Amino acid sequence: MNFSTEWMMKLSWYILLLYIHIFSVVLSIGPYFVLFPLLAKIRTAPFELLPEYLEPFRITVRLTKHAGHVLVATGILLTWLTEWTWKTSWIVFTVLIMVASLYFIARAFSPLLRKLRAPHDDRNVLVNQLRSALIWYVIITLSMMWFMVAKPSFW
């Protein structure tokens, strides 16, 4: 193979991985926006119907987890294929935020969803906590996305 053929193969792998990476970002963030309107339904639904309204939250958390695996794998491969290094400031900040989001998603959603599925006294408090968790998760993931898109250089 000559230089231009090797370069084109590397470029085509890069483009494919980049599209998969972007698609996994969309799957990691997008479904959470659909959950906001469900909060009002969860707040007012009879207890017997709550599982139906909580199921999209469970599905979204699972989808996000698997999309995150793809996101990390493609991110590693994209870093390997390009001239970026693991010491690049925007990559360091993205990884730090990603670790924080993993901790946050594990601690924020599952315990609240378990509490909402069980008989409880004050649903409004739990729904407010769920709303707050949604807002924080969206902020965290959008900030991570900003670092990946803007690629700011701090050092």
Side-chain angles (χ1 to χ4, degrees), residues 74-114:
T74 56
I76 290 168
L77 290 171
L78 285 167
T79 303
W80 178 62
L81 280 174
T82 63
E83 302 298 320
W84 301 110
T85 70
W86 293 105
K87 295 178 183 175
T88 306
S89 61
W90 67 268
I91 293 176
V92 170
F93 282 107
T94 301
V95 169
L96 290 174
I97 294 170
M98 182 187 62
V99 169
S101 74
L102 293 173
Y103 176 78
F104 181 81
I105 198 168
R107 307 279 300 161
F109 293 108
S110 296
L112 282 172
L113 294 174
R114 264 193 305 277

